[in-house]
């Protein structure tokens, strides 16, 4: 192991850049000592180097630290392309497949994404979530044995099948992106609100649960008609829409051909506090248990493991 | 019948205003002699009167003609609110429920919308399509007897159950609006194209047909992954997405609780040429026959009937 005291890790996705200055502790794990938020790769007109180094400039007194980047920064429209690893994939394969280069005296590692084939012979891909998955398996070693289903809600929800510590395959649902599009640009929402109304959310989930084939394009129009006829109002229309979309996402996962959800004791949900709660509520309405995990904890655990793999081999 | 020689009719929806200057012919039907296109009600900052009279100014030599308006112009966010008529509704009820007022010396009629209750106890609404439906029944009197299913694709697809000439109930799918949102604002489409690729469209419809529960939020991500892995390209990605969305819309209609689609010999599709063809192709992939009708013909027939009802009673 090199005598490294600090390292910078960052999740650089389409819409956000979240960078962490970390101290390497006595057990060679990472402790976050500072954070910085920047712009996603779709918002910086390909000025990757300038944007990153401007963001981490306040940390320059720490020297030319190694930088580990995950997420869309490694995609075809990112800074440097890091391959997709084909599933099934064990955590340790990530480190050996990072794209490594130097920039402004910093050693930079871009983490590869994962790809898989689903039951209908489609491919699916992820970038960034793999570190959360492997961090979770590290923090909760009991899930390294047997089969488990992990749900990572976000702009794109990922439903991930784990088998003996390997990522076996996964499926993507565009739930968060659809929510953003429909609240910002559609006829359904006249007034965007941040408040979460549990009754309206539950009504939305049940709308999907009780409808014939849970057709999303047919069901979302009820966001408008329920407002027209006074069953929901402008202030809770966003919560109702969220219930429709998350209900539809969960309904799709429950009926996936790739797994039998009733075989899992609980679904593991990893993400931001509000989202994991919403997905747990929706799963519960459909009759399934879940265990909730905060994404910040598991992401740093994932970076820690990657850091150890990268620098123990040099 | 009054001695009226000309009348103006207009479909004034959310995004478009299509106005027709019509001559009343010997059989008291309307012949279009000129057309004008303006902006939808969401795009004119509530300047209804100014926008309409500016558009029809070239026709002022015809005098202060009666004006018949249908569509969102009669909604809560329109010019004047015209009620919804509860289904079941016969065509003749439209004329007696128009909202009538005077403006700049013109007698103006705003056509009411229709509302209904679906099997899951949701309400549904339409504004504008009712004239096409009644125009169709007038042009094709054979459909005034028995039960028929009409599909009117557009920004919002309407699937309409007709029973002995009455609109029994209908269901809305937001297919066109979702297509606009996803092609303009999502990660799925990098390059918008107008070309229609039948193979890519068919691939999209089959993606829905062959997937477990036709989950739209899970399936649309394949628009991105199929591009990443070279199964479709930038130039036909829009056609593939259209196949996914229209396939999903048709799949929902096939499994609707409100009707048994196998009881209909054919689905009647009314709309613009390109859209009716796409819906017919999708229905055909699912194994159902359809009959295609152009919307311009039936809309004017609907206005003709309304005109006769309005002015034969004065």
């Amino acid at each position: 192991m090199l005598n490294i005291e600090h390292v910078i890790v960052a999740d650089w996705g389409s819409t956000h850049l979240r960078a962490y200055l970390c101290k390497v502790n006595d057990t060679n794990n990472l402790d976050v000592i500072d954070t910085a938020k920047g712009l996603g790769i779709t918002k910086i007109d390909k000025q990757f180097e300038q944007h990153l180094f401007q963001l981490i400039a306040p940390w320059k007194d720490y020297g030319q630290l190694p930088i580990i980047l995950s997420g869309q920064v490694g995609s075809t429209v990112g800074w440097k392309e890091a391959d997709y690893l084909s599933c099934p994939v064990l955590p340790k394969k990530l480190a050996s497949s990072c794209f490594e280069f130097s920039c402004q005296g910093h050693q930079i590692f871009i983490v590869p994404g994962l790809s898989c084939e689903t039951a209908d012979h489609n491919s699916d891909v992820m970038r960034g979530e793999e570190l959360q998955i492997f961090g979770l398996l590290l923090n909760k070693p009991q899930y390294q044995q047997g089969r488990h289903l992990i749900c990572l809600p976000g702009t794109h929800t990922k439903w991930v099948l784990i088998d003996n510590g390997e990522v076996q395959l996964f499926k993507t649902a565009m739930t968060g992106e659809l929510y953003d599009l429909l609240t910002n640009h559609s006829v359904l929402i006249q007034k965007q609100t941040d408040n979460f109304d549990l009754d309206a959310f539950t009504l939305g989930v049940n709308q999907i649960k009780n409808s014939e084939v849970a057709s999303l394009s047919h069901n979302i129009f009820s966001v408008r008609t329920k407002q027209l006829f006074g069953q929901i109002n402008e202030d809770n229309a966003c919560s109702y829409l969220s219930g429709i979309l998350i209900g539809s996402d969960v309904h799709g996962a429950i009926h996936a051909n790739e797994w039998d959800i009733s075989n899992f004791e609980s679904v593991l949900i990893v993400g931001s506090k509000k989202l994991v709660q919403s997905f747990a509520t929706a799963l519960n309405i459909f009759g399934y248990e879940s265990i909730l995990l905060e994404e910040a904890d598991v992401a740093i655990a994932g970076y820690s493991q990657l850091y150890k793999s990268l620098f123990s081999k040099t």
Side-chain angles (χ1 to χ4, degrees), chain A:
Chain A
M1 183 69 75
L2 293 181
N3 185 19
I4 293 174
E5 291 189 353
H6 295 89
V7 61
I8 293 169
V9 301
D11 175 17
W12 203 349
S14 301
T15 50
H16 298 286
L17 164 55
R18 293 186 191 84
Y20 305 89
L21 173 64
C22 299
K23 187 171 164 43
V24 181
N25 68 21
D26 296 342
T27 59
N28 276 316
N29 284 311
L30 305 182
D31 292 332
V32 175
I33 57 175
D34 199 9
T35 61
K37 287 186 179 176
L39 299 174
I41 62 155
T42 57
K43 300 182 174 179
I44 55 166
D45 197 23
K46 301 216 169 264
Q47 304 299 301
F48 301 103
E49 182 179 337
Q50 292 86 328
H51 189 70
L52 177 65
F53 283 99
Q54 197 174 350
L55 189 75
I56 64 171
W59 302 336
K60 66 180 172 211
D61 291 347
Y62 290 91
Q64 291 168 318
L65 302 181
I67 301 173
I68 301 172
L69 303 174
S70 64
Q72 287 294 319
V73 65
S75 74
T76 50
V77 290
W79 191 2
K80 308 275 184 186
E81 194 173 344
D83 285 344
Y84 291 109
L85 299 179
S86 298
C87 287
V89 172
L90 277 169
K92 63 183 178 191
K93 265 189 83 175
L94 283 187
S96 58
S97 304
C98 281
F99 182 90
E100 184 183 345
F101 65 108
S102 289
C103 188
Q104 301 196 15
H106 293 255
Q107 193 178 13
I108 301 186
F109 301 88
I110 299 187
V111 182
L114 304 187
S115 67
C116 71
E117 190 172 320
T118 50
D120 59 1
H121 304 296
N122 269 305
S123 298
D124 211 326
V125 291
M126 70 165 62
R127 282 197 187 273
E129 296 89 350
E130 63 285 346
L131 280 175
Q132 294 177 35
I133 297 165
F134 293 142
L136 182 155
L137 295 176
L138 201 75
N139 277 2
K140 311 276 184 188
Q142 67 268 36
Y143 300 121
Q144 291 184 19
Q145 300 301 316
R147 283 162 68 90
H148 305 281
L149 184 62
I150 306 178
C151 168
L152 300 107
T155 304
H156 295 172
T157 311
K158 304 288 180 184
W159 295 87
V160 185
L161 180 65
I162 301 294
D163 193 354
N164 285 329
E166 276 189 326
V167 174
Q168 203 64 27
L169 58 79
F170 51 89
K171 301 193 80 172
T172 300
M174 286 180 58
T175 304
E177 186 164 353
L178 281 173
Y179 180 81
D180 287 342
L181 292 178
L182 291 168
T183 51
N184 282 303
H185 302 290
S186 82
V187 297
L188 299 179
I189 301 295
Q190 304 301 319
K191 177 183 165 187
Q192 280 193 55
T193 51
D194 279 337
N195 79 305
F196 178 76
D197 185 293
L198 180 60
D199 289 342
F201 178 83
T202 302
L203 193 67
V205 176
N206 278 315
Q207 171 67 26
I208 291 293
K209 188 184 172 197
N210 300 330
S211 78
E212 50 263 15
V213 283
S215 167
L216 184 61
S217 43
H218 284 249
N219 274 302
I220 51 175
F221 194 60
S222 65
V223 179
R224 171 140 176 84
T225 52
K226 279 202 186 308
Q227 289 179 83
L228 275 175
F229 292 91
Q231 294 163 295
I232 57 172
N233 59 47
E234 271 192 357
D235 291 323
N236 57 26
C238 284
S239 298
Y240 177 74
L241 173 62
S242 175
I244 293 262
L245 290 172
I246 292 177
S248 182
D249 187 344
V250 165
H251 180 270
I254 288 170
H255 293 87
N257 282 331
E258 287 80 3
W259 50 74
D260 178 349
I261 198 169
S262 59
N263 287 343
F264 306 111
E265 204 167 297
S266 299
V267 176
L268 310 174
I269 313 178
V270 185
S272 65
K273 199 168 181 177
K274 196 176 149 185
L275 265 183
V276 297
Q277 189 58 60
S278 293
F279 272 75
T281 302
L283 275 162
N284 186 256
I285 291 171
F286 280 97
Y288 298 96
E289 299 292 319
S290 48
I291 291 171
L292 282 53
L293 298 148
E294 285 244 21
E295 68 188 332
D297 302 342
V298 298
I300 297 301
Y303 287 116
S304 288
Q305 185 181 38
L306 187 63
Y307 160 78
K308 281 191 269 194
S309 303
L310 283 171
F311 289 95
S312 64
K313 64 171 179 159
T314 52

